[in-house]
Amino acid sequence: MREISIQSADFDPGVEIGKLNDPGTTGAIASFMGLVRADDGMAAMTLEHYSGFAESEIAKHIAEAKQRWPLQAVRVVHRVGKLTPGERIVFVGVASGHRQAAFEAAAFLMDYLKTRAPFRSEEHTSELQSHL
């Protein structure tokens, strides 16, 4: 299983969670799914990244998470391109033998993606959309 997918296509969170489960050894799976919000009249957002660079930076943080917690599997899916409110934008899933490690590692990875991951976003307001 690839740990990181950066893609324009939507994803199925149930399928992603299923990829993390190793029956008989997995004791906990923690996941987070982020959605595009319609804050302040936002009609859409466009996300861009530098292919290769973004994956390597995310991989460094996955490696750090694996050093800090006893993880069995990790999956990060991040969408790029034009997204509208309500669409899925990010998935972070972590499997471990124990729930606390899964919770903490998932929060660690999501905090990184939200605050420091190498994505560029541009918001489009409803006023801008009416002129396009």
Side-chain angles (χ1 to χ4, degrees), residues 1 7 9-21 29-35 75-77 79 86-94:
M1 168 187 68
Q7 61 195 46
D10 196 8
F11 58 87
D12 181 334
V15 169
E16 298 302 334
I17 289 170
K19 292 176 183 178
L20 296 166
N21 189 16
I29 295 174
S31 66
F32 174 87
M33 183 181 68
L35 306 170
R75 181 84 172 122
V76 173
V77 179
R79 293 184 64 200
E87 287 191 80
R88 291 182 279 258
I89 187 171
V90 64
F91 172 87
V92 172
V94 177

Side-chain angles (χ1 to χ4, degrees), residues 1-5 16-17 19-21 26 28-30 58-59 61-67 69-77 91-96 101-102 105-106 108-110 113:
M1 168 187 68
R2 280 187 14 224
E3 290 182 323
I4 304 163
S5 290
E16 298 302 334
I17 289 170
K19 292 176 183 178
L20 296 166
N21 189 16
T26 299
I29 295 174
I58 294 168
H61 287 81
I62 290 173
E64 182 178 345
K66 287 179 173 180
Q67 288 178 347
W69 296 281
L71 305 180
Q72 297 168 337
V74 175
R75 181 84 172 122
V76 173
V77 179
F91 172 87
V92 172
V94 177
S96 180
F108 168 79
L109 290 169
M110 194 56 235
L113 289 170

Side-chain angles (χ1 to χ4, degrees), residues 27-131:
I29 295 174
S31 66
F32 174 87
M33 183 181 68
L35 306 170
V36 178
R37 295 186 313 264
D39 291 345
D40 300 322
M42 186 175 73
M45 70 184 307
T46 301
L47 284 162
E48 299 174 346
H49 76 297
Y50 290 105
S51 185
F53 177 72
E55 292 88 345
S56 70
E57 289 299 303
I58 294 168
K60 289 177 189 177
H61 287 81
I62 290 173
E64 182 178 345
K66 287 179 173 180
Q67 288 178 347
R68 293 174 67 176
W69 296 281
L71 305 180
Q72 297 168 337
V74 175
R75 181 84 172 122
V76 173
V77 179
H78 205 297
R79 293 184 64 200
V80 292
K82 188 173 184 178
L83 301 169
T84 58
E87 287 191 80
R88 291 182 279 258
I89 187 171
V90 64
F91 172 87
V92 172
V94 177
S96 180
H98 303 281
R99 65 179 154 74
Q100 194 63 37
F103 280 136
E104 291 175 5
F108 168 79
L109 290 169
M110 194 56 235
D111 286 346
Y112 161 72
L113 289 170
K114 181 68 178 167
T115 61
R116 296 180 293 142
F119 291 95
R120 182 187 165 286
S121 68
E122 179 181 354
E123 295 182 1
H124 309 283
T125 64
S126 51
E127 289 121 25
L128 177 62
Q129 291 297 324
S130 65
H131 292 85

